[in-house]
Amino acid sequence: SLAPLAPTTRCRYDRRTMSAANDKAIDERLVGELSLLVVDDDAATLEEVVSLVQPLGFKRVLAAAGGAAAMSAVARAAPRIVITALMMPGVDGAELLAQIKRRNPTVVVMIMSVLDSVEHAVRTMKSGADDYLTKPIQRDVLAARLEGVAERLAIKREAEDLRQLLD
C-alpha cells in the first residue's frame, strides 16, 4: 500500500555543502517542485532508498510497497520521477514501467535491480526506462543520477516556457 511520507524538508545548503550525514543536497531550484515515488516490495530496500532520497530536497517523496500500489500512487500523486525495483511479485517493474509510460511518457522511470549486467541494463533501457541502477544503491550514484534528471527536467520546462512565449 501507499505509505505517504512527510514532505521532505527543503535543504538550505548550497550544492557544494555536505551535511553531517554526508548527504549532498541537489540545487533546490531544480528539485524543489518535483515529487518522487520509490517502489519496492522489500520493506528494507524501500526504506533505505527513501532515506537516501529525502535529504536531496525534493518537494515530496512517496513510497509504495509494490507495483499495484505504485500505479495507484501514480494516478493520485502524479510524481515526475519514479524509482522502482525490477523484480516484484504481481505487477513487476517492467509492467509498471510500461503502464507509467503509456499513461504519461514524460514521467522519468528509473529501474533498480540486483542484476548487474550490461545486457540486462540495455534491454531495460530499450523498454523505455530512463535509467538503470544496480542494488545495493550507492548514495553518491543515486544523488548524481537524480541531479542529472532534475537538470534535464528543468531544461525541458524552460524550453516549454520559451515556446509558449513565442506563440
Side-chain angles (χ1 to χ4, degrees):
S1 68
L2 179 65
L5 303 172
T8 59
T9 304
R10 291 188 180 212
C11 299
R12 296 289 183 229
Y13 29 84
D14 69 27
R15 296 172 102 175
R16 295 173 303 276
T17 306
M18 305 291 270
S19 74
N22 202 24
D23 293 328
K24 179 183 176 211
I26 299 174
D27 187 334
E28 185 176 315
R29 293 168 294 186
L30 296 176
V31 297
E33 297 303 316
L34 295 177
S35 60
L36 183 143
L37 172 65
V38 180
V39 185
D40 203 312
D41 63 312
D42 179 70
T45 302
L46 183 62
E47 185 177 322
E48 176 187 350
V49 175
V50 167
S51 73
L52 294 175
V53 171
Q54 279 189 312
L56 299 178
F58 286 88
K59 177 181 180 180
R60 186 167 53 167
V61 177
L62 301 170
M71 283 311 301
S72 295
V74 167
R76 282 195 321 268
R80 290 292 295 126
I81 303 168
V82 176
I83 303 172
T84 183
L86 179 60
M87 293 183 273
M88 297 182 289
V91 178
D92 68 4
E95 177 60 25
L96 179 61
L97 167 66
Q99 288 184 31
I100 289 171
K101 291 296 186 171
R102 261 194 310 274
R103 180 173 287 195
N104 184 350
T106 66
V107 173
V108 174
V109 180
M110 302 169 78
I111 299 288
M112 328 179 261
S113 177
V114 295
L115 302 173
D116 186 16
S117 76
V118 173
E119 179 183 320
H120 195 75
V122 169
R123 189 173 333 120
T124 303
M125 300 289 282
K126 284 183 176 181
S127 297
D130 295 282
D131 206 340
Y132 186 89
L133 302 162
T134 304
K135 291 180 184 179
I137 304 298
Q138 301 297 314
R139 177 189 319 265
D140 294 341
V141 171
L142 181 60
R145 302 274 182 85
L146 287 171
E147 184 170 29
V149 166
E151 287 172 351
R152 286 190 302 277
L153 290 172
I155 289 168
K156 286 179 182 177
R157 192 170 44 246
E158 185 176 317
E160 183 58 36
D161 291 347
L162 290 172
R163 264 193 291 277
Q164 287 179 0
L165 285 175
L166 293 173
D167 289 343

